[in-house]
Amino acid sequence: MTTTNDQSVSDAVTAGSHATESARAGLSNLREGAGGTVDQQRVATVVGAALEGIRAAIRENKVTYEEFDAFKRWLIAVSDTGEWPLFLDVYLEFEVEKVAAESQQGSIGTILGPFWLDGQAQLDTPATLPMRDDEPGTPMILAGQVTSTDGTPLRGATVDIWHTDDEGWYSGFASKPPAGNLRGVVRCDDEGRFEIHTRKPAPYTIPLDGPTGQMTQAAGWSPWRPAHIHLLVAAPGHRTLTSQLFFTGDPYLGNDVASADKPELTLDPQPTGNGDEVRSDRDFVLEPGD
Ligand code: DHB
Ligand code: FE
């Protein structure tokens, strides 16, 4: 979503409403919801701290009624465009991920983001992701092995992978790429090895015509995410790793609007000698558990 657009339905509403649907599905299928009981003390502590943070911002900056009304209108627009998942994943998820990472061993991960989709093509390694006949972009191979923290290769491991096309569009959220484009769940071999043929993704701006993008630009912040490949690496009896991989030399590294890039997650793909194809090797270590 690299440009504002002339479509009748805005990019923000398209991406936002699909991200809302996907978040509903993801919250039920991907991560188990919280149990039925509400811990009153926990609510009072966490919600109280969040509210006090906002009240402090009002007090310390002498926020006016005009600004308070603008804030209300903005919150309503976030709901109307379905942008809550986008906004939350850009501006808050990285802090939640840091908390989760404190108790996770094995490979370093990062945020899930709003654009995961359930039910994508199941492929055996070596796999080529679903793509158009004339899919633009640099052909790229991502290969590696999934092991447990004790080094055991993980039979039955899967690599769920999704990323933008060469123009920064996600299938399922933008109208241009067909459904399922550059998404798949790759079954590793008996030694946990995988080899995935795809196209290098492009840097991406959050939708600029919606309230999240407008607030970002109103503050003078960069709306860009560096190019990245999303991954969910899973294996029986192991905690699923949620990660992203970035690329050395990307101009937006270190200035990711979603604060999700980490130096440990950077790839440096090398030419394979087959046309302009490049390849990166990356192993993943999963922690036993569920
Ligand atoms: C957003 C987009 C991403 O690709 C991502 O990984 C996280 C957030 C967004 O537009 O909100
Ligand atoms: Fe993304």
Side-chain angles (χ1 to χ4, degrees):
M1 300 170 204
T2 44
T3 54
T4 49
N5 70 97
D6 50 15
Q7 295 163 249
S8 55
V9 177
S10 76
D11 288 345
V13 171
T14 307
S17 59
H18 293 194
T20 296
E21 281 166 35
S22 173
R24 283 202 187 101
L27 291 175
S28 52
N29 298 349
L30 189 61
R31 289 193 283 252
E32 267 178 49
T37 53
V38 174
D39 180 339
Q40 191 183 50
Q41 189 55 52
R42 181 78 177 155
V43 175
T45 303
V46 177
V47 178
L51 289 173
E52 183 46 27
I54 297 174
R55 286 192 290 258
I58 294 170
R59 264 195 316 272
E60 288 160 19
N61 299 288
K62 300 205 180 300
V63 168
T64 65
Y65 261 107
E66 264 182 1
E67 290 167 331
F68 183 55
D69 291 344
F71 179 49
K72 273 190 199 168
R73 276 194 293 272
W74 181 83
L75 289 168
I76 292 166
V78 175
S79 293
D80 288 347
T81 53
E83 278 201 359
W84 277 117
L86 274 69
F87 170 74
L88 292 168
D89 293 351
V90 165
Y91 284 108
L92 300 181
E93 189 188 351
F94 72 99
E95 292 288 2
V96 182
E97 194 278 330
K98 270 193 222 161
V99 174
E102 286 171 12
S103 68
Q104 183 154 15
Q105 282 159 13
S107 295
I108 287 174
T110 187
I111 70 169
L112 177 70
F115 297 141
W116 175 77
L117 286 175
D118 206 353
Q120 300 306 300
Q122 305 268 333
L123 309 161
D124 285 317
T125 192
T128 301
L129 295 186
M131 63 176 80
R132 293 160 283 196
D133 290 343
D134 55 351
E135 188 67 41
T138 306
M140 177 178 164
I141 301 172
L142 177 67
Q145 187 176 24
V146 184
T147 61
S148 188
T149 39
D150 68 359
T152 314
L154 288 176
R155 189 197 178 98
T158 55
V159 178
D160 186 339
I161 176 169
W162 68 104
H163 60 81
T164 72
D165 66 10
D166 185 52
E167 295 179 347
W169 301 100
Y170 277 99
S171 63
F173 295 92
S175 46
K176 233 177 155 188
N181 207 57
L182 303 176
R183 295 174 179 272
V185 182
V186 178
R187 281 184 289 257
C188 299
D189 69 12
D190 289 347
E191 296 281 279
R193 289 184 199 282
F194 61 90
E195 183 181 300
I196 302 168
H197 294 242
T198 185
R199 293 283 184 275
K200 228 180 136 195
Y204 162 95
T205 74
I206 60 172
L208 298 178
D209 59 344
T212 306
Q214 282 166 357
M215 180 273 281
T216 301
Q217 290 183 300
W221 299 328
S222 164
W224 286 92
R225 294 218 58 211
H228 56 280
I229 293 176
H230 290 268
L231 302 159
L232 282 171
V233 185
H238 287 73
R239 195 165 158 180
T240 299
L241 173 71
T242 304
S243 197
Q244 298 181 26
L245 296 171
F246 302 85
F247 300 94
T248 40
D250 190 305
Y252 304 106
L253 278 181
N255 192 23
D256 180 356
V257 65
S259 308
D261 61 333
K262 303 181 185 182
E264 298 88 343
L265 301 178
T266 308
L267 300 174
D268 187 14
Q270 297 299 313
T272 62
N274 174 19
D276 58 352
E277 183 184 67
V278 295
R279 175 183 173 117
S280 272
D281 289 79
R282 176 60 59 128
D283 297 338
F284 297 102
V285 179
L286 301 188
E287 174 190 359
D290 29 63

